[in-house]
Amino acid sequence: MEECISVFDMLKIGVGPSSSHTLGPWRAAERFLDELKENNKLELVNYIKVDLYGSLSLTGKGHATDLAVMLGLSGQDPEYIPVESIGRIIDEINSKKIIKLANQITIPFFPDENIIFNREFLPFHANGIKFTASLLDADEYSSTFYSIGGGFVVKEERNNAKKKHKIKCAFPYPIQNAEELLKYCNELNKSISEVVFENEKSMRSEDEIHNELMRIWNTMLECMYIGCHSEGVLPGGLNVRRRAFDMHQNLIGDLPYNSPQEWLEVIRKTEVKFRQILKWVSCFALAVNEVNASLGRVVTAPTNGSAGVIPAVLMYYMVIENHQAGEKEIKQFLMVAGEIGSIFKKGATISAAMGGCQAEIGVSSAMAAAALCEVMGGTPDQVQMAAEIAMEHHLGLTCDPIGGLVQIPCIERNTMGAIKAINAAELALETDAKNAKVPLDKVVNTMWKTAQDMNSKYKETSEGGLAVAVNVADC
């Protein structure tokens, strides 16, 4: 049996700017604390050292990896922490040189000394992080984790364990690839979202599924709303000016509203010529990733760096394509997106440190294209075709963030991924899927082979491409 990957694994609420470099290390710190507690060692800790390796080290400063580690060690939860308190917590650690481990035990902590940036890569994965705790009894406890993209964190022994026994899956319809998914749709005469819903019901009640999907959507909506109503310059030193605010002001006009939901209804009343549609979709995507770049709350979909694509396309569907769309369509969209993302995670990667930006923007565009295709009436074959088209035209996309920040070219890439997703869905809807030449599984395999062939300079190291072609000082 195969490992289960839920929609809620692929779509996670957290804090920006990066799922692999911020959320992953944050979760790794939480897991290290859990290990200390399980082994009755937390009370004995008097010193913590954190070693960052590979891509986590090379672009860690720009991705706030060090801040995420401190917040995780402090016992803060990225899903629920008030984002306005992050600066205060970090400032307190930096100024007082202490950290309240697991929000329980206060120990000395000097960020510049306790967090070490090692340029070398560990052999298992490009994003390695090792925690070492010195104990009062003169012993040490160490643990190494790997942030494999999308906020997922694993230990190397888990991979070895997989070779010895298969992980059991509770899903009635376990899915490893697109071919298996399509087989279930045909045998059960169900849409992709309906098959996904049956699987999710094996883990949660229908009410829980409903509530969690709507919480994800409301977080996306609020993120777009905040981004469209925030102006100024993004943090990090590149002096990137927020664009969603000005673009939104030009599009919305003087129409009144007082909440994100009222805002959505007002947008439905605006002009919808082709240029306006392009601007709205771009505005939604920009808004999300500007919030992400500011350590704001976003939905990892499937990563933080690509968090703007899916909400932008879903918002497009609701305010442009279908003004009657509501909770039913939102849940349908998110379930399809999550399942397509899981297929890429199982068959390739969703980590830019392993596969370049094709693994982030490319996967998110495929997820959004498939989801849009289904809510617009596409068959399961057409839905998979939409995902294939979107990824096919992101193959080879590099990850080369200037200054190691999730800003240039990352923010704009979300607008492009969203537009490509809409185009891919429309192409699939106008095509007899029987005539498709490239199955989705083939493009998943190709993406993974492309990732393996890609030079490491273009895998979130900031050692190639735009990251070296553009002088940071000129920004």
Side-chain angles (χ1 to χ4, degrees):
M1 300 179 77
E2 304 295 348
E3 183 178 7
C4 294
I5 297 181
S6 165
V7 170
F8 304 108
D9 293 323
M10 298 305 303
L11 306 174
K12 295 188 286 286
I13 298 171
V15 172
S18 169
S19 52
S20 60
H21 287 56
T22 315
L23 182 59
W26 194 325
R27 290 301 189 196
E30 290 181 320
R31 285 183 55 179
F32 182 62
L33 293 178
D34 289 340
E35 288 185 8
L36 290 172
K37 292 174 185 175
E38 289 168 7
N39 290 280
N40 298 314
K41 296 182 183 295
L42 182 63
E43 302 285 341
L44 300 175
V45 176
N46 63 3
Y47 182 83
I48 290 275
K49 182 179 74 167
V50 184
D51 284 283
L52 304 174
Y53 294 94
S55 180
L56 285 186
S57 170
L58 293 168
T59 61
K61 284 288 185 182
H63 289 83
T65 304
D66 48 346
L67 309 188
V69 166
M70 290 189 276
L71 291 164
L73 291 175
S74 299
Q76 304 297 325
D77 188 328
E79 191 168 344
Y80 296 102
I81 183 175
V83 291
E84 62 273 10
S85 71
I86 289 176
R88 175 185 57 77
I89 295 169
I90 295 299
D91 288 344
E92 190 169 290
I93 295 172
N94 284 325
S95 61
K96 296 184 178 180
K97 309 303 181 188
I98 58 173
I99 193 167
K100 196 170 184 181
L101 203 62
N103 203 28
Q104 295 178 32
I105 301 165
T106 300
I107 63 171
F109 195 87
F110 297 82
D112 290 341
E113 299 174 14
N114 293 63
I115 301 176
I116 301 166
F117 291 79
N118 302 279
R119 294 182 64 86
E120 63 265 28
F121 286 71
L122 297 181
F124 181 71
H125 192 279
N127 292 332
I129 179 169
K130 180 182 179 182
F131 297 88
T132 303
S134 298
L135 309 178
L136 293 171
D137 59 7
D139 198 5
E140 276 191 353
Y141 182 86
S142 294
S143 199
T144 302
F145 301 89
Y146 300 90
S147 180
I148 62 172
F152 290 89
V153 176
V154 301
K155 303 192 74 170
E156 187 170 355
E157 53 262 36
R158 178 183 168 196
N159 190 64
N160 293 332
K162 275 182 165 182
K163 297 174 184 176
K164 298 175 184 176
H165 66 274
K166 292 182 179 179
I167 298 173
K168 292 183 179 179
C169 180
F171 286 172
Y173 309 112
I175 297 159
Q176 182 67 14
N177 52 47
E179 184 179 1
E180 290 180 358
L181 174 59
L182 200 57
K183 177 173 70 76
Y184 288 128
C185 290
N186 293 333
E187 288 177 356
L188 302 169
N189 194 27
K190 289 182 180 293
S191 66
I192 289 175
S193 62
E194 288 171 331
V195 172
V196 175
F197 187 55
E198 291 302 314
N199 280 341
E200 293 295 333
K201 285 195 295 184
S202 69
M203 302 175 71
R204 298 171 177 83
S205 69
E206 292 189 20
D207 284 345
E208 286 175 318
I209 296 168
H210 168 86
N211 292 336
E212 280 302 295
L213 287 172
M214 291 311 299
R215 189 165 75 96
I216 286 169
W217 164 243
N218 287 326
T219 302
M220 289 178 170
L221 179 61
E222 182 179 7
C223 185
M224 287 185 281
Y225 185 83
I226 291 170
C228 285
H229 294 83
S230 301
E231 57 182 330
V233 174
L234 295 174
L238 293 182
N239 296 315
V240 175
R241 178 175 171 78
R242 289 176 179 262
R243 283 184 284 177
F245 180 87
D246 292 332
M247 187 178 289
H248 174 259
Q249 287 292 100
N250 292 332
L251 289 165
I252 199 72
D254 297 323
L255 297 171
Y257 53 88
N258 294 299
S259 69
Q261 188 58 45
E262 288 183 14
W263 176 62
L264 186 154
E265 296 294 342
V266 164
I267 295 172
R268 286 174 166 170
K269 301 175 184 177
T270 60
E271 190 175 32
V272 288
K273 291 179 180 178
F274 182 65
R275 286 186 66 198
Q276 276 69 33
I277 293 171
L278 287 176
K279 289 176 184 178
W280 271 121
V281 174
S282 297
C283 182
F284 298 144
L286 288 174
V288 170
N289 287 87
E290 287 172 357
V291 170
N292 179 63
S294 306
L295 275 78
R297 177 158 285 119
V298 300
V299 175
T300 299
T303 68
N304 284 30
S306 61
V309 176
I310 287 171
V313 175
L314 178 48
M315 189 70 161
Y316 155 81
Y317 174 71
M318 296 186 71
V319 299
I320 304 294
E321 282 298 327
N322 184 0
H323 287 192
Q324 281 69 52
E327 293 185 353
K328 174 180 175 293
E329 290 80 10
I330 291 168
K331 293 186 291 183
Q332 186 180 357
F333 190 103
L334 295 177
M335 284 190 287
V336 174
E339 186 59 46
I340 296 299
S342 77
I343 288 172
F344 276 97
K345 184 181 184 301
K346 292 167 186 170
T349 181
I350 57 170
S351 167
M354 292 297 287
C357 202
Q358 60 174 354
E360 295 201 20
I361 294 295
V363 173
S364 64
S365 186
M367 293 165 70
L372 180 63
C373 187
E374 179 169 307
V375 295
M376 292 180 68
T379 65
D381 293 273
Q382 289 175 318
V383 169
Q384 290 198 3
M385 187 179 187
E388 181 279 318
I389 293 170
M391 173 51 78
E392 184 180 328
H393 300 289
H394 281 95
L395 288 173
L397 186 61
T398 60
C399 181
D400 49 356
I402 296 174
L405 295 163
V406 192
Q407 296 182 18
I408 305 172
C410 320
I411 295 175
E412 280 185 358
R413 279 187 180 165
N414 279 262
T415 72
M416 299 300 166
I419 296 298
K420 282 186 180 181
I422 295 169
N423 195 16
E426 291 293 349
L427 285 171
L429 287 166
E430 292 298 320
T431 304
D432 184 343
K434 292 177 183 178
N435 296 323
K437 301 298 183 184
V438 184
L440 178 55
D441 285 329
K442 289 289 185 182
V443 85
V444 173
N445 294 338
T446 301
M447 192 269 268
W448 179 229
K449 289 177 181 176
T450 304
Q452 293 171 307
D453 291 339
M454 188 179 288
N455 191 297
S456 62
K457 292 190 300 184
Y458 304 110
K459 295 180 180 180
E460 209 166 4
T461 61
S462 287
E463 293 183 324
L466 287 174
V468 296
V470 179
N471 193 322
V472 175
D474 293 337
C475 293

